[in-house]
Amino acid sequence: MSAGEAATEAETEAAFDAAMARAGVTVPEQWRSGTLASFRELRALADLVHDASRPVAHEPSGAYRMRAARHG
Amino acid sequence: MAEPTELHELSVAEAGRLLRQGSITSIELTRHALYRIHAAQPALHAFVTVTDERALADASRADLEFARGVDHGPMQGIPYALKDIFHTAGIRTTSHSRLMADHVPAEDAAVETALRAGGGVLVGKLATHEFALGGPSWELPFPPAHNPWNPEHFTGASSTGAGAAVAAGLVRVAIGSDTSGSVRGPACLCGTVGLKPTYGLVSRRGAFPLSYALDHIGPLGWTVEDVALATQVIAGHDPHDPSSVARPVPDLVRGLNDGVRGLRIAYVPGWFRDDPALDPQVPAAIERVLAGLRERGATVGEVTLPPYRLFNACGRVIMAAEAFAVHEADLRARPGEYGRFTFQRIAAAAGLSAVDLVQAYRLRQELADAVDAAVFAAHDGHDGHDGHDGHAAHDAYDVLVAGTGLVPAPRLDAFGADWPPPRALSAMQTIPFNVTGHPALAVPTGLSAEGLPLGLQLVGRAFDEAAVLRAGAVVEEITGHPLVRPPL
C-alpha cells in the first residue's frame, strides 16, 4: 500500500497485529475491538501530521520553544 | 461569625479575611468541609481518599500560626484537595488505578510542597480517570466521580473529582492536571473555573506523567479570584523540573477588578461553527458573553487559525506516543490490570512510528507560532509578518476566546463498553493550548435548558495569566454564575 491509499480492514488488522507483536504487548481478546478502533483512529491522526509541503530543511524542528515567552 | 452552613460559600479571599480577623477558625472551615465531603461521597464519589486526620492537624497548625501572627499567604487555613496523581508523602497516591492501589510515596509533589508551605489544609485526594487518561470506568478500584449538576452525567475529562468537589462546594480549590483539557473540561462540564497555566509556570515534579510535552498543572476553583490566589501559591520556578521556567511570577490578583475597557479580544468561532457535534446553546452563550464584554469597553474581532483538526492530531499523536513510553513496561507485563479504556487508548500507540512523533513535534512549533502570529502579534496589513501572509491589519489582541466543551455534560451511561466513545461525548476543544502552551482559563457562561453548565475559554500570551484572569473576572460579572450552585 502506498502513502495516501486507504488501508483495507484486513491490512489495518495486519498492521495492528504486527505493531502489538513488535511492542511486545498482548491484547486481551475481550479488549481487541476497542484497541483496534483506537489504533485506526490514531493512525488517521498521524497521517494528518505528515505535511508533504513542509520542506525537509524547514525549521522549526523538534526543539520546542515558546516564542511568546519573550513578551513582557 | 459566619453561619456554619455558609462556610463553604466563603471565597478563598473572604475566608482568609475572616481567619485573619479571628472571626472563624481553620478548624471550623475544615470540619465543615469534611462533613460535606463525607455526606456527598455516596452520590458524587469525588474523593479516592479523605485525609481527615491530616486535615485537622493542618488546620490546627494554621490556627496556631494565625494566633502567633505568622502569615504564609492566601491559602493559609484554607481546605483544598489534590487529584490523585500528585504524590503526597505518607498518603496513598493511586492514579485511580489497580496498578498503584497501594502506592504510598515518600515525597510530596511540588504543588503539594507549595500548598503546605503556604499553610493550606489538605482534605483529600480526588478521583481521576485512570492515569489521567482512561475514561469513566466502573471496573477500577474506585468508582468514577459524578457531576453535581446531575449525578447521572459525566464530569468531563480526567480531573473528574476536582470538578465535582469544587462545583458541589466541598472545597473552594482543587489542583488538577491538564494534558488535553483535563482541568478545563471538568471545569466546563461542572460549571467551575479552571486554569491551565502557561507551560513551565507550575512545576510538574511529583505528578504522575501522562505526556511530558503536554502535561500542565493547574487549579480549579469556584471563582476566578479563587483560581488566581491558588495559582499565585503553586506557580514559580522549580530547578528540579526541567520544563519549569525561571521567571518571576507576577501578582495575579491585583488586576482582577480592572475591567476590560480597552482590552482587545479575538474570537475563533471557525473551530466549531461547522462541527456536527456542536450544541447551539454553547455558541449562543459565548455570543452573549462577547456582547457583554463589548458593552464594557472591550473590542472583539474574529480571527482565523489553522484548522482545529491539525491541533487535535498533533496533540493526540504526541500524547499517545509519550503515554506509551510511560507505560511500556506495565503494558507488557501487567496488561490485564489496566482499566479497559486506559489499555485501549494507550496500547494503540504501538502503531505510531518515530517519524510520526517527530513530525508532530515539528507541527507543534508551527501551530504555536501560528497562534502567536494571528492573535498576539500586530499586523500592518502587508505581507510577510513573521512568515505568515494574509492577516488583515490589526493591533495585537490581548485575549483569545474559544469554545471549551461543545456540548453540555453527556450521560455517563452513554459511554459504550469500548473506546473510542461516540464523538459527541468527547467534543472538547481544549487540546490546542496544550500543544501551544498558552495559558487558558475555562469560565462558565451559564446553564443549558437542561440545567447543565456551559462554558468558554480565555487564552492569553505565554505567561500573561493576568490578562485572562482579568477578562475572566468580567465574564463572571456578566453571567453571575458564581451565585448559582448545583441543586444538591
Side-chain angles (χ1 to χ4, degrees):
Chain A
M1 189 185 72
S2 62
E5 284 181 24
T8 65
E9 188 55 34
E11 288 169 337
T12 300
E13 290 215 35
F16 173 78
D17 289 334
M20 294 302 155
R22 190 173 57 245
V25 174
T26 302
V27 181
E29 187 53 37
Q30 71 276 20
W31 294 356
R32 178 179 172 85
S33 168
T35 312
L36 178 60
S38 294
F39 173 89
R40 193 182 296 114
E41 185 185 44
L42 206 48
R43 281 305 326 157
L45 292 168
D47 288 344
L48 278 176
V49 307
H50 290 263
D51 180 357
S53 68
R54 184 189 297 134
V56 291
H58 174 68
E59 290 287 358
S61 70
Y64 182 68
R65 69 197 183 285
M66 289 219 62
R67 175 180 300 275
R70 293 199 295 266
H71 286 274
Chain B
M1 178 177 159
E3 291 293 321
T5 53
E6 296 173 349
L7 288 175
H8 62 282
E9 295 297 357
L10 295 173
S11 71
V12 171
E14 289 166 344
R17 209 158 29 245
L18 294 174
L19 285 166
R20 284 165 180 80
Q21 288 171 1
S23 304
I24 60 170
T25 65
S26 179
I27 283 283
E28 288 171 334
L29 269 181
T30 302
R31 286 203 172 117
H32 183 72
L34 291 171
Y35 172 81
R36 289 180 59 81
I37 289 166
H38 287 293
Q41 185 69 358
L44 299 183
H45 305 291
F47 283 76
V48 168
T49 303
V50 184
T51 53
D52 301 71
E53 286 184 23
R54 158 71 187 274
L56 292 169
D58 285 353
S60 293
R61 188 180 68 226
D63 285 334
L64 198 60
E65 294 194 320
F66 280 127
R68 291 174 177 163
V70 177
D71 197 329
H72 294 294
M75 287 299 292
Q76 184 167 326
I78 306 293
Y80 68 92
L82 298 171
K83 184 177 183 174
D84 203 26
I85 64 161
F86 293 105
H87 284 187
T88 39
I91 298 171
R92 185 177 65 162
T93 300
T94 69
S95 291
H96 212 116
S97 176
R98 193 171 291 109
L99 284 95
M100 297 181 69
D102 301 316
H103 174 236
V104 179
E107 296 183 359
D108 285 331
V111 287
E112 168 62 0
T113 300
L115 287 161
R116 272 202 104 174
V121 176
L122 177 67
V123 293
K125 307 294 292 294
L126 295 159
T128 166
H129 290 166
E130 186 180 26
F131 291 115
L133 185 67
S137 299
W138 281 261
E139 62 196 346
L140 300 175
F142 318 100
H146 294 231
N147 195 316
W149 296 89
N150 184 334
E152 293 177 347
H153 285 244
F154 184 43
T155 49
S158 78
S159 302
T160 57
V166 172
L170 311 184
V171 287
R172 281 302 281 215
V173 167
I175 307 299
S177 65
D178 190 317
T179 305
S180 64
S182 286
V183 164
R184 291 162 290 153
C188 180
L189 297 195
C190 294
T192 81
V193 179
L195 175 66
K196 182 205 76 65
T198 309
Y199 188 77
L201 186 75
V202 177
S203 173
R204 308 181 302 182
R205 179 167 48 88
F208 194 91
L210 172 55
S211 164
Y212 306 108
L214 305 179
D215 288 346
H216 296 66
I217 310 304
L220 294 88
W222 187 240
T223 64
V224 170
E225 184 190 50
D226 291 338
V227 161
L229 288 166
T231 306
Q232 195 79 57
V233 172
I234 63 173
H237 181 232
D238 177 3
H240 302 296
D241 174 358
S243 69
S244 178
V245 174
R247 57 181 289 147
V249 179
D251 188 328
L252 299 175
V253 181
R254 191 174 51 203
L256 284 181
N257 296 320
D258 286 356
V260 291
R261 184 161 300 285
L263 204 70
R264 294 184 50 78
I265 295 173
Y267 177 41
V268 59
W271 273 357
F272 56 70
R273 192 174 267 150
D274 299 323
D275 192 316
L278 178 68
D279 184 318
Q281 296 178 98
V282 171
I286 294 175
E287 296 284 354
R288 285 194 294 275
V289 167
L290 291 173
L293 291 166
R294 285 192 193 95
E295 285 169 12
R296 288 161 176 78
T299 57
V300 180
E302 284 196 16
V303 293
T304 301
L305 294 172
Y308 173 78
R309 61 188 164 81
L310 286 185
F311 289 89
N312 184 51
C314 176
R316 290 184 57 192
V317 166
I318 293 171
M319 180 169 74
E322 294 188 346
F324 191 96
V326 170
H327 290 276
E328 184 179 16
D330 283 332
L331 286 170
R332 286 181 180 142
R334 312 158 71 185
E337 294 182 46
Y338 283 91
R340 175 186 292 248
F341 287 162
T342 318
F343 180 90
Q344 291 175 332
R345 296 187 71 180
I346 301 177
L352 293 173
S353 71
V355 178
D356 295 330
L357 185 59
V358 168
Q359 296 294 21
Y361 284 146
R362 297 180 75 200
L363 179 58
R364 181 189 193 197
Q365 187 65 64
E366 292 175 356
L367 293 173
D369 288 350
V371 170
D372 278 333
V375 180
F376 299 120
H379 293 275
D380 61 9
H382 298 103
D383 63 1
H385 182 90
D386 213 4
H388 294 265
D389 297 346
H391 296 296
H394 65 75
D395 293 331
Y397 291 103
D398 302 298
V399 170
L400 170 69
V401 170
T404 311
L406 301 192
V407 293
R411 290 181 60 86
L412 279 165
D413 60 12
F415 285 82
D418 290 317
W419 200 266
R423 161 89 175 93
L425 301 191
S426 58
M428 286 278 168
Q429 294 202 328
T430 43
I431 201 168
F433 307 108
N434 298 89
V435 170
T436 68
H438 293 91
L441 181 75
V443 190
T445 52
L447 298 178
S448 70
E450 305 80 21
L452 294 167
L454 306 168
L456 55 70
Q457 57 183 327
L458 299 160
V459 183
R461 287 188 182 86
F463 300 103
D464 196 4
E465 277 74 10
V468 296
L469 291 164
R470 172 184 160 200
V474 177
V475 174
E476 264 179 357
E477 176 192 310
I478 293 166
T479 64
H481 181 79
L483 301 175
V484 184
R485 282 284 190 183
L488 277 182

